[in-house]
Amino acid sequence: MDSYRPGQPSDGSAHIESLAAFVTASPSSFHAADRAAELLLVSGFVEVTETEPFSPLPGGYVLVRDGSVLAWRIPERLDSPAFRIVGAHTDSPGFVLKPEPTSSFVGWQQAGMEVYGGPLPNSWLDREFGLAGRLVTADGVTLVRTGPLLRIPQVAPHLDRSVNERLVLDRQQHLHPVFAVGRPDADLLAEVAAVAGLDRRQVLGHDLVAFVTEPPATFGLDADLFASPRLDNLASVHAGLTAIAAADDSDAITVLACFDHEEVGSASATGASGPLLETVLTRIADALGWDVQTAGAARARSVLVSADAGHAVHPNYPQLHDPDHRPLPNRGPLIKFNANQRYATDAVGEAIWRRACAAAGVPTQDFVSNNAVPCGSTIGPLSATRLGIRTVDVGIPLLSMHSARELCGVRDPGWLAQGMRAFYAGR
Ligand code: ZN
């Protein structure tokens, strides 16, 4: 991210390099929130502490709560108060370290991990991964990331020929990574604490997730494709950062809300079903001296773009898509539709997003599920339900969603950022 600041006009490859750096710097939701705030501070935003009153002054603000990060900009002139909000999430499916993580069995030392959300467990097999997150001591919170430390080894087909017929992974038995052999004295948490310069006895609590250590990479003909962990949904977080840092010309209050815990249903103090965004919008309104009428009118004029990864058509499984809606990488971000409100897009929200993308020269594609295939969901319907703000669901198309290494086109993330930038500007 050194040569590329959020807000700089981006060609696709500069944006992808910047995204790769952001993903690499963000192995956990805590790191993502921290890194996002760091980048916005470089762009002139001011850090807000939740226990202090909010400022009414024009300018950019950023607030980190655990693994969530919220940023907003108050413009110089606010003739017709409204919020233009981009929402995303900082977490990704994978594995979380258990409270007492170290065990020894048949000469090996292993780590106890809980499955977090809905990963593709097979994609984690035979990859080296580290642990990242936060350690809490009496003195406060320390973010930590280790080097490659763990691996879930596959069984050889010579020993079990059935693995080439039908791979069945028991979540307790078969997803148990190794980190040492012949070291019954080993203590995994002590190793992680040492990386943070702490003694194990100082650590009163830990929130640590697994992350694969292989860096993101472009590949394919003309390097048109991009492989990376956590594209769902750091590609949207990064696009939102790029857009809000650049959007200094808006006549509305621009907001970026990146929540934790989307992959496990969003019901938490830092998730989209919690009061975090509503609290922040209310406190901004109060700082600006809005009465209930003004605040209600502002909400009625507001729009939320919920950005989350979607599905490109898979050439090996085309039947899983609707035959008339088969999005491809590098054809533009998706607008996501679902009549049953798994996505919050309606015709008015759709029109607002299409207009912004057209103004930015960004192509769009439509996504709607095959009626016989279950549809995912996003923070869009949750936020819309909570806030009563018009919402449109969008996002870049992926293959291998929820894999340890997902795939997108190199142009879509930059286009998403440009569409958000135009949306923030009210184009
Ligand atoms: Zn997602």
Side-chain angles (χ1 to χ4, degrees):
M1 206 109 185
D2 289 338
S3 61
Y4 177 83
R5 296 261 177 267
Q8 194 173 303
S10 69
D11 69 70
S13 64
H15 189 92
I16 280 291
E17 272 177 43
S18 171
L19 171 58
F22 181 69
V23 169
T24 303
S26 307
S28 74
S29 59
F30 306 105
H31 287 83
D34 189 68
R35 181 67 179 146
E38 201 172 82
L39 291 168
L40 290 174
L41 294 180
V42 169
S43 299
F45 283 60
V46 174
E47 191 157 8
V48 171
T49 309
E50 281 191 89
T51 49
E52 302 288 328
F54 283 19
S55 168
L57 299 176
Y61 300 90
V62 58
L63 177 161
V64 173
R65 187 198 283 185
D66 302 311
S68 294
V69 57
L70 273 83
W72 62 95
R73 280 181 101 116
I74 300 175
E76 295 284 343
R77 285 192 55 175
L78 203 53
D79 296 335
S80 175
F83 296 101
R84 289 196 198 108
I85 307 167
V86 168
H89 65 89
T90 54
D91 62 322
S92 302
F95 300 91
V96 173
L97 201 66
K98 287 187 174 178
E100 280 301 330
T102 308
S103 63
S104 285
F105 191 58
V106 294
W108 289 90
Q109 280 65 54
Q110 291 178 281
M113 310 286 294
E114 260 189 290
V115 179
Y116 178 82
L120 282 169
N122 62 298
S123 70
W124 285 78
L125 303 179
D126 295 348
R127 288 181 193 272
E128 292 69 52
F129 52 93
L131 294 169
R134 62 181 179 178
L135 301 174
V136 182
T137 69
D139 295 328
V141 176
T142 305
L143 295 191
V144 64
R145 68 183 295 161
T146 72
L149 196 56
L150 300 143
R151 173 170 166 142
I152 305 170
Q154 293 213 71
V155 66
H158 318 68
L159 302 179
D160 181 356
R161 297 208 183 276
S162 76
V163 295
N164 276 336
E165 305 300 323
R166 187 161 181 271
L167 181 65
V168 178
L169 294 170
D170 180 278
R171 290 187 159 220
Q172 179 66 22
Q173 192 187 348
H174 296 140
L175 302 177
H176 209 181
V178 299
F179 72 95
V181 62
R183 296 280 304 276
D185 54 325
D187 178 346
L188 184 59
L189 209 47
E191 293 301 314
V192 179
V195 171
L198 297 169
D199 186 276
R200 154 76 138 117
R201 285 163 299 188
Q202 291 175 273
V203 178
L204 303 175
H206 62 264
D207 290 315
L208 295 166
V209 302
F211 72 99
V212 296
T213 48
E214 188 183 359
T218 53
F219 72 103
L221 190 65
D222 296 329
D224 260 352
L225 301 169
F226 182 58
S228 170
R230 302 184 294 285
L231 290 173
D232 173 10
N233 191 18
L234 295 185
S236 303
V237 173
H238 176 263
L241 288 171
T242 306
I244 198 168
D248 55 2
D249 53 353
S250 183
D251 59 352
I253 299 173
T254 53
V255 181
L256 174 64
C258 304
F259 300 99
D260 205 346
H261 301 142
E262 191 274 345
E263 298 293 353
V264 292
S266 296
S268 78
T270 50
S273 285
L276 181 57
L277 176 57
E278 187 169 23
T279 302
V280 166
L281 298 184
T282 302
R283 292 185 69 177
I284 294 170
D286 182 68
L288 291 169
W290 296 355
D291 60 17
V292 173
Q293 293 296 334
T294 309
R299 289 258 187 118
R301 286 186 211 103
S302 298
V303 182
L304 189 152
V305 169
S306 160
D308 204 346
H311 300 288
V313 63
H314 195 309
N316 302 344
Y317 302 85
Q319 75 283 3
L320 298 178
H321 273 254
D322 181 80
D324 300 316
H325 300 84
R326 288 176 161 169
L328 287 168
N330 291 329
R331 300 278 168 85
L334 310 174
I335 306 175
K336 304 184 202 171
F337 299 88
N338 185 265
N340 299 298
Q341 299 298 307
R342 303 282 294 166
Y343 303 129
T345 309
D346 67 0
V348 179
E350 172 192 356
I352 291 167
W353 178 250
R354 277 197 204 287
R355 194 181 65 188
C357 286
V362 169
T364 62
Q365 308 183 78
D366 297 340
F367 176 84
V368 65
S369 283
N370 180 312
N371 282 332
V373 174
C375 181
S377 191
T378 70
I379 63 147
L382 301 174
S383 304
T385 303
R386 173 113 209 166
L387 301 168
I389 289 179
R390 184 181 311 288
T391 299
V392 52
D393 268 293
V394 307
I396 63 166
L398 303 187
L399 289 188
S400 316
M401 189 190 287
H402 287 197
S403 166
R405 200 168 170 84
E406 298 168 326
L407 185 170
C408 73
V410 291
R411 281 181 278 286
D412 296 320
W415 275 333
L416 179 65
Q418 287 165 12
M420 289 173 177
R421 168 82 180 83
F423 162 71
Y424 275 147
R427 285 189 213 119

